[in-house]
Structures are given as C-alpha cells and as structure tokens.
Amino acid sequence: SGPAAPPQHRPGRCLHRMQARSSAPLDRPHPRIEAREVGAIVAVCAAVFFVQIDVGHLHGDAIRYAAVAKNIAVSGEWILLQDQPGVLYANKPPLMMWLVAALFELAGVSVWAARLPSALFATAAVLMTGLLGRRLVDARVGWLAAVLAASSYGTFTSASTLRLESGVTFAAVTGAYAAMRAIQDGRPAWLLLVGVAAGLGRPRPHPLHPRVL
C-alpha cells in the first residue's frame, strides 16, 4: 500500500459556526439580547470602571483635556478650544472635551466629572462588542467577548481617566456591528451608521473639527 495521506486540519467550532452563519439566508432570525444580559454587562463595567472614578488625580494628557473643558465652561467658547486663556488648542477633536465641559457646568469641576464620559464610552463599547459577538457566532460568545473587553487592560486604562481612546473604540465597534447588520439583514440603511461611526472615529485633529471624537 502507498504512503498514508497527511492528516487534514479541520477548522475549529467557532469557524464552522461563522461559515454557517455567513451562508445562511439573510432573513434568518437572530437571538435578541435580553435585559438581564445588558444588566449583567453593565454591572461588570460598573465594577471595573466606575467604583474608583473619583479616586486620585488626573495625569498626563488628561490634565490638558480637562483644562480645555474647564476653559469652555468658564468662557462659554465651544468652538475655538483653548487649554489656556487666549491659547488656541486644535490638537485633538472636541467631542470628549465638550462632554466634560457640559458636566463641569452641571456638576462643577471634579475628577469624577472629567472621567465619566470616558467610562461611559467604554461601557458602550463593551456592550457593542457583545452584540457583535452574538451576530458573528452566538449569545455565549457575545457574552464572553463583552466580559473579556471589559476586563482588558486597554479598556480599563482608557475608561479610568480622561482619554479619547474609549470613544474611538466605541465608534469602531459600532461601525463593525452596523456593517454586519447591513450584510446579514440585507439592509443597506445600516451603512449610514457605518459612515457616521467612521467619521466620528477617524483619528485626525482639526481646526473647526473635521471629526469630533
């Protein structure tokens, strides 16, 4: 008899599931995310991102972003950003600093108000990661993806201080989810959300703000 045929590598279970989903009809049903799943994911994010949101001080770039937000709140100038009175700051897009400035006006200048938008964007990014995992594979993988995203070092560092990365991550994951919905559901209208997310998350500073995250 001839030499034995080399063993063939078989794709893993997750790859089989993804292939089956991509070849299934576009109008197939997908499991809806339940309120208890959302509550569990938010509880995980609260334990990781929000418990110590008012502990310690701001460091590094967060100090400058907070200074820009404070100048917005004090001066009322929301378009031409300044990190010092009379000194134009056009290095970064404005949305995060606008949100912090609004919180400063509502609740006063504080560490927790400076950090809150980053933590909220990170929580939203974790939820969108879970939704994307459900669409790509199944509910169990979506839940696992959300937990892993919430507990990752990168997510924690961007959520625990005033940084722009959590907003950019949220925009990227939202764009990927919208693209998946457009393909799977056969609804091109979802591509509008892809464009909005891409515009929000594009890493380019601005004067007069070509992007806002």
Side-chain angles (χ1 to χ4, degrees):
S1 60
Q8 295 183 349
H9 296 284
R10 297 182 178 181
R13 183 183 300 177
C14 287
L15 181 57
H16 275 308
R17 290 180 182 176
M18 293 175 65
Q19 289 174 337
R21 281 179 172 266
S22 63
S23 60
L26 292 176
D27 60 350
R28 69 190 182 284
H30 288 273
R32 294 181 180 273
I33 189 166
E34 298 181 4
R36 63 182 180 180
E37 292 181 66
V38 174
I41 293 172
V42 170
V44 171
C45 291
V48 177
F49 305 151
F50 292 90
V51 169
Q52 295 187 319
I53 196 170
D54 60 345
V55 175
H57 304 282
L58 300 177
H59 301 280
D61 289 340
I63 296 174
R64 172 163 286 184
Y65 302 152
V68 173
K70 183 178 178 181
N71 278 315
I72 293 172
V74 170
S75 68
E77 175 56 70
W78 291 76
I79 303 301
L80 299 177
L81 306 186
Q82 305 170 50
D83 60 345
Q84 301 177 41
V87 179
L88 183 66
Y89 181 78
N91 293 355
K92 297 293 181 182
L95 179 59
M96 192 72 78
M97 288 167 277
W98 284 341
L99 294 174
V100 174
L103 284 170
F104 283 172
E105 287 195 340
L106 290 172
V109 177
S110 63
V111 171
W112 75 262
R115 290 172 174 167
L116 182 61
S118 292
L120 291 174
F121 270 124
T123 301
V126 168
L127 286 170
M128 292 308 301
T129 300
L131 289 174
L132 183 60
R134 291 173 68 92
R135 279 271 158 178
L136 286 172
V137 188
D138 57 26
R140 181 180 179 183
V141 169
W143 164 249
L144 179 60
V147 171
L148 290 174
S151 59
S152 74
Y153 178 76
T155 305
F156 174 76
T157 54
S158 66
S160 60
T161 188
L162 173 53
R163 295 181 63 171
L164 308 184
E165 286 85 347
S166 58
V168 174
T169 302
F170 168 70
V173 179
T174 300
Y177 175 78
M180 181 62 64
R181 290 296 299 265
I183 294 169
Q184 290 185 339
D185 298 349
R187 296 178 180 175
W190 279 99
L191 296 176
L192 294 174
L193 182 55
V194 176
V196 171
L200 290 176
R202 187 173 177 220
R204 190 178 95 190
H206 104 327
L208 299 184
H209 318 311
R211 74 175 185 111
V212 294
L213 269 179

